[in-house]
Amino acid sequence: MILRLVIADGSQSPAVAESVEVGDDGALSGWRSVSDGGAGWFAGRLPEAELASVRAAVEAVGPVAPEVPARPDSAQEVLELDATGPVSIAGISNGTDDWPRLAATARGLLDRLTDFPRAAVAVSHPAPGVARLIQRGADPVRLDLSAIAVRAAAWRGYYEPAGDWSEVVAGPGEVEAGPGWTYDLALGLESAAAPADGEVVVHLTADFAILNGTTRIPVRARHTPAIPPP
């Protein structure tokens, strides 16, 4: 193992529980519970150039991490290296020095992870008035869709509010979502269904649960496309 990062924040609902690990051979694996790339399990392999960059960031730090206190309300962030063991990095901001650079690299790997879905469900906005859950991975994943909490926020121009809607929708219950599985949800958002000028951007969240054995894990899939500045 080259590194492992675990992030946990139980103050939010659903709780944030993220992890990413890079193996010596460049294997990348982990779990996301709240993500634009989907919630679930991810696994892939980093290209050689990216792996070399990760190795360089790890090799640049000393065997002892700086003790930087984190804000009391911040998430727990634990980075594990062979040389140091588990190290709290919640108080270390991203930067270009050795430990800030490594912290930034490790955090960036969480976003990179979502490029390699194994069994993960995302939410998208394929058409006006529609939110779509989609299984992005090649492995099946069991879901509890008894109740799906959906929220949509519409923006016109540069973050000018154009509508907000939320509802808990009764779904199909427990399902096994195989590769390419989808499930559509109707949005009660008038501006999303019929944008006045074609320039409305819709952000979505969908809260549901992933089933792992007998464990029910609340998760959130997000769809937050960038809004270009004026």
Side-chain angles (χ1 to χ4, degrees):
M1 182 193 74
I2 297 175
L3 66 78
R4 179 188 295 115
L5 175 66
V6 177
I7 298 179
D9 186 354
S11 67
Q12 302 186 40
S13 181
V16 173
E18 316 278 64
S19 66
V20 61
E21 180 176 326
V22 182
D24 293 328
D25 59 354
L28 186 71
S29 60
W31 161 269
R32 299 294 306 268
S33 66
V34 178
S35 161
D36 280 66
W41 293 272
F42 300 82
R45 190 172 300 276
L46 290 176
E48 286 298 326
E50 285 188 59
L51 179 59
S53 178
V54 173
R55 286 188 184 277
V58 171
E59 292 168 358
V61 302
V64 179
E67 295 185 7
V68 182
R71 297 192 321 269
D73 60 346
S74 65
Q76 297 179 15
E77 296 182 79
V78 178
L79 179 62
E80 185 176 347
L81 308 175
D82 286 340
T84 64
V87 173
S88 175
I89 63 167
I92 301 177
S93 300
N94 294 348
T96 56
D97 292 337
D98 50 8
W99 276 98
R101 177 189 171 202
L102 179 57
T105 298
R107 291 166 182 148
L109 287 169
L110 277 172
D111 290 330
R112 184 69 168 107
L113 188 64
T114 59
D115 293 331
F116 305 99
R118 178 172 69 81
V121 175
V123 66
S124 65
H125 184 232
V130 176
R132 175 172 294 167
L133 298 177
I134 180 167
Q135 216 280 65
R136 297 184 59 214
D139 294 347
V141 57
R142 292 172 55 234
L143 307 174
D144 180 357
L145 301 181
S146 302
I148 310 165
V150 186
R151 180 175 181 181
W155 308 95
R156 181 177 291 108
Y158 190 62
Y159 288 102
E160 176 188 345
D164 194 286
W165 173 86
S166 63
E167 189 169 313
V168 177
V169 180
E174 292 188 14
V175 301
E176 182 169 295
W181 168 92
T182 63
Y183 184 76
D184 285 358
L185 301 156
L187 298 176
L189 185 67
E190 292 183 4
S191 58
D197 53 15
E199 296 181 356
V200 170
V201 174
V202 176
H203 288 176
L204 300 171
T205 62
D207 293 8
F208 51 96
I210 291 178
L211 301 173
N212 185 24
T214 60
T215 303
R216 182 182 182 277
I217 310 169
V219 297
R220 171 174 292 169
R222 301 184 307 202
H223 173 73
T224 55
I227 298 177

